[in-house]
Amino acid sequence: MSQRQSKPRTPREPTIALINVVFLMLVFFLIAGTIAAPLDPRVRLVETDELEGRAPPDAAVVLADGSLLLDGRSITPEALAETGPILRLVPDRELPASELVSLSRSLREAGAEEVWVVTERGLQ
């Protein structure tokens, strides 16, 4: 009589246990996490529609045509990079993003350590 040799079973990976752990972590963080309380309905937020927008005093303004202004005077990117290691740019809304990226890159190559873009932020 010949007996069949059974193949040794390979151990299964514990994927069910992993799924259970991930699910328990999800439930834990949902319960333990804090959710921001809604704003009190009696609070009326300040409206800033009528305010005049101004650039920070140490920021350079980038016009829609790509020219730079610092303190109201025209300046080159190389001269702007020499004003300090951290530069702030206030770009015009109509300035193409590719030109802003190119300008930022040229400022970094000219010696600026950091280039910050100052934008307008509003509550929705």
Side-chain angles (χ1 to χ4, degrees), residues 50-93:
E50 302 299 320
L51 290 180
E52 180 183 337
R54 292 182 190 238
D58 61 343
V61 176
V62 186
L63 299 178
D65 62 358
S67 58
L68 284 168
L69 300 176
L70 184 63
D71 296 328
R73 286 175 261 134
S74 183
I75 190 169
T76 63
E78 294 78 21
L80 181 62
E82 294 174 2
T83 61
I86 300 174
L87 302 176
R88 289 176 178 79
L89 299 177
V90 181
D92 187 273
R93 183 180 304 250

Side-chain angles (χ1 to χ4, degrees), residues 11-45:
R12 289 193 207 175
E13 292 185 30
T15 56
I16 297 296
L18 180 64
I19 292 170
N20 288 340
V21 169
V22 170
F23 179 72
L24 289 173
M25 288 175 55
L26 175 69
V27 171
F28 172 77
F29 286 114
L30 283 174
I31 293 172
T34 59
I35 298 174
L39 198 58
D40 191 312
R42 297 173 291 177
V43 174
R44 294 186 48 158
L45 297 175

